[in-house]
Amino acid sequence: MINLPKWDQSLINKYNISGPRYTSYPTALSFNEGYQQHDLINAINSSSTNSLSLYIHIPFCSQLCYYCGCNKVITRHQSKADLYLDYLEQEIIAQAPHFSGYQVEQLHLGGGTPTFLSSTQMSRLITLLHRYFKFASDAERGIEIDPRSLADGMLEHLRNLGFNRVSFGIQDFNDAVQLAVNRPQSASAVKSLLTEARQLGFKSINADMIYGLPLQTPESFKTTIEQLIALSPDRVSVFNYAHLPERFAAQRKIKDADLPNAHDKLTMFKNTLEQMSDAGYQFIGMDHFAKTSNELAIAQNSGQLHRNFQGYTTHGNCDLLGLGVSSISQIGSSILQNQKQLKAYYHDIEHQLGSAICKGMQLSQDDVIRAEVIKQLICHFQLDTRAIADKFQINFASYFVDALKALDPLLADGMINIKNNIITVTERGNLFIRIICMCFDAHLQNQINATRFSRVI
């Protein structure tokens, strides 16, 4: 089991800088223009697996949440989802034959708000997927849910369609905070939905929370986490709100004066770590927690945890196919992304025989090696350098001479130990796993010059 991070204010003052979240290596900022359908086919032909994870992006939301930086379309017109499904159907028909030798082990619907779809529209989508893809009998089927917009009977409908996982976007239970981000929701209604989901037999019930939102205080967020723990979700994500109004127009509606200061924001996360640990949750990493009986914690404890564009996962053996606007696929050693804007997505589907791929990259051998190193560190807080050397036929010390030099100050500060060819992240270093991974990131300097990342805590 991963040890609970040790809170060291001096290290936080020194190292709480910005950095990537490493849902992939290289990160999406390294993607290049010019990738097309033939790159997907080449990737499939060179892949060594026949297991598939499907991600479907549903971009629509009926209301704008001011904090949100997701790819989304705000509308109350249900007909727009019908049009979107028309184009998504064309993409499914075009791409599915290339995966005829695969079996789908995992399905995830994200957004946006996937439950923007009506029951009829949701049935249409799932019927399409079953018609054109082969699903494993025990496939994991998950969906993200906005509790505010869930139609009556939709949870039961989702269960009948085969979904066995739900992830509720809760963010906060405090009324004043919810109003400040244009996301008013009834705490009692949310609690009723989680209770209903458990009664319906969903295998895993997840909750997404955010700290650092306007009008939050350490005391109010501590109360929110107490309420959450009482609901006993299987997994919890507690995200750090990154206020980037220059990038996300909706965030300009949030008043800077309403945001908690840096000290209070850190206190919220410190309290959350303690509360979740005391309640029996395992700290998976960064901002994720899981019950010790959950397969995410079991996979981490057995060295089988993976990480991809959907976050921490137990399906590391799968290629990932993303369908829909902005979706990302990772097939073999290739990463490919669809058009980000809806009009461009529609145009490409219509004029490029059902494909909207426009960006991506082919991983070099160096990328593959570094991706494996970063995955081991971010999932297991430990790296066996001899195993990496044997797997890739390299001399670890000479190959990663610059990375090891970059680790020296972290070693001196007790954030890592290096002994018998094992790099171990300590309790003092767990909170800074992104910084430790950054030492192995050969693409990072160009990315730092091009964008702003969220702070690591």
Side-chain angles (χ1 to χ4, degrees):
M1 180 183 293
I2 302 302
N3 290 324
L4 189 69
K6 183 176 181 180
W7 195 267
D8 188 314
Q9 193 62 48
S10 64
L11 291 181
I12 290 169
N13 294 341
K14 183 175 182 179
Y15 289 107
N16 191 20
I17 61 173
S18 301
R21 296 186 59 80
Y22 292 114
T23 50
S24 72
Y25 179 84
T27 68
L29 294 169
S30 295
F31 295 177
N32 300 306
E33 302 283 348
Y35 281 76
Q36 296 179 341
Q37 178 68 10
H38 65 84
D39 296 296
L40 177 72
I41 296 171
N42 290 339
I44 295 169
N45 290 337
S46 62
S47 176
S48 59
T49 185
N50 59 3
S51 297
L52 189 64
S53 176
L54 273 179
Y55 172 76
I56 316 294
H57 190 79
I58 307 296
F60 304 107
C61 295
S62 58
Q63 187 173 343
L64 178 67
C65 300
Y66 295 161
Y67 60 81
C68 184
C70 298
N71 188 293
K72 60 196 176 294
V73 176
I74 307 301
T75 181
R76 292 186 181 275
H77 298 289
Q78 205 70 34
S79 60
K80 290 192 175 183
D82 285 318
L83 178 64
Y84 184 73
L85 289 176
D86 289 343
Y87 282 92
L88 193 58
E89 179 173 359
Q90 293 181 54
E91 186 181 14
I92 290 169
I93 291 172
Q95 301 296 23
H98 301 298
F99 294 90
S100 59
Y102 283 75
Q103 181 170 257
V104 177
E105 292 187 5
Q106 184 181 43
L107 169 67
H108 186 79
L109 271 61
T113 305
T115 49
F116 179 90
L117 300 183
S118 66
S119 295
T120 300
Q121 290 167 337
M122 189 69 71
S123 294
R124 176 188 174 188
L125 174 57
I126 300 306
T127 299
L128 275 171
L129 294 174
H130 276 274
R131 182 181 303 158
Y132 291 101
F133 291 96
K134 182 172 65 178
F135 281 76
S137 59
D138 60 347
E140 178 182 300
R141 302 161 188 255
I143 184 169
E144 297 169 11
I145 291 176
D146 180 347
R148 302 168 306 157
S149 61
L150 194 67
D152 289 344
M154 179 58 93
L155 262 184
E156 184 175 3
H157 186 64
L158 293 172
R159 191 72 187 94
N160 290 336
L161 286 175
F163 284 95
N164 47 33
R165 295 174 176 274
V166 283
S167 183
F168 291 98
I170 298 172
Q171 324 314 350
D172 197 303
F173 283 119
N174 184 278
D175 291 341
V177 174
Q178 291 164 4
L179 285 172
V181 296
N182 198 36
R183 193 187 170 88
Q185 62 185 357
S186 161
S188 61
V190 173
K191 294 172 184 177
S192 295
L193 283 175
L194 266 70
T195 300
E196 182 186 356
R198 204 164 297 284
Q199 291 172 344
L200 286 169
F202 282 94
K203 182 179 179 182
S204 184
I205 299 172
N206 309 343
D208 292 339
M209 314 298 288
I210 299 178
Y211 69 99
L213 293 176
L215 304 185
Q216 282 180 338
T217 66
E219 294 75 19
S220 75
F221 198 66
K222 190 170 186 178
T223 299
T224 278
I225 297 299
E226 286 173 357
Q227 292 176 272
L228 178 70
I229 289 171
L231 296 173
S232 192
D234 299 288
R235 301 180 189 175
V236 175
S237 300
V238 187
F239 295 109
N240 170 10
Y241 169 61
H243 190 57
L244 302 171
E246 67 279 6
R247 283 183 60 190
F248 305 116
Q251 294 187 359
R252 296 168 200 163
K253 296 179 179 292
I254 293 176
K255 299 175 183 178
D256 287 358
D258 287 341
L259 293 170
N261 61 41
H263 177 268
D264 283 353
K265 193 174 178 182
L266 288 171
T267 301
M268 291 179 208
F269 190 61
K270 180 183 180 183
N271 291 343
T272 299
L273 282 168
E274 294 171 351
Q275 288 175 273
M276 296 301 294
S277 176
D278 289 345
Y281 286 83
Q282 180 166 319
F283 177 66
I284 301 297
M286 293 194 294
D287 38 35
H288 282 63
F289 303 84
K291 288 182 176 179
T292 54
S293 58
N294 185 268
E295 63 266 32
L296 211 63
I298 293 170
Q300 185 174 59
N301 295 337
S302 63
Q304 302 300 312
L305 188 64
H306 296 268
R307 187 165 171 80
N308 62 20
F309 290 102
Q310 293 169 223
Y312 290 105
T313 177
T314 58
H315 292 269
N317 61 312
C318 292
D319 279 340
L320 171 64
L321 173 62
L323 297 169
V325 62
S326 79
S327 290
I328 296 175
S329 303
Q330 187 156 14
I331 311 292
S333 58
S334 295
I335 305 177
L336 303 162
Q337 184 171 26
N338 281 352
Q339 290 282 4
K340 286 187 175 183
Q341 301 302 318
L342 200 55
K343 286 184 178 179
Y345 171 76
Y346 287 164
H347 176 275
D348 282 10
I349 292 295
E350 194 169 335
H351 293 92
Q352 296 185 23
L353 302 176
S355 173
I357 296 168
C358 65
K359 296 175 70 175
M361 69 180 303
Q362 172 65 42
L363 274 62
S364 67
Q365 181 65 4
D366 180 65
D367 291 333
V368 171
I369 294 170
R370 291 175 185 272
E372 179 68 16
V373 167
I374 287 171
K375 184 193 80 171
Q376 291 298 326
L377 285 168
I378 210 162
C379 289
H380 303 293
F381 296 90
Q382 191 173 80
L383 178 69
D384 185 335
T385 63
R386 184 175 292 163
I388 295 293
D390 291 345
K391 181 174 181 177
F392 296 105
Q393 295 298 294
I394 60 171
N395 180 300
F396 191 94
S398 59
Y399 192 94
F400 286 110
V401 60
D402 291 339
L404 292 171
K405 185 176 180 180
L407 287 174
D408 280 343
L410 309 185
L411 180 65
D413 281 331
M415 296 161 67
I416 59 170
N417 289 326
I418 303 178
K419 185 177 181 182
N420 297 329
N421 299 298
I422 304 292
I423 299 175
T424 302
V425 182
T426 68
E427 294 176 353
R428 290 165 60 88
N430 280 359
L431 289 177
F432 305 97
I433 188 61
R434 289 160 69 180
I435 292 173
I436 295 167
C437 291
M438 285 162 65
C439 295
F440 292 91
D441 189 335
H443 294 261
L444 186 60
Q445 194 56 52
N446 290 335
Q447 294 171 0
I448 287 175
N449 294 336
T451 191
R452 283 181 61 187
F453 296 106
S454 64
R455 288 188 179 272
V456 298
I457 305 175

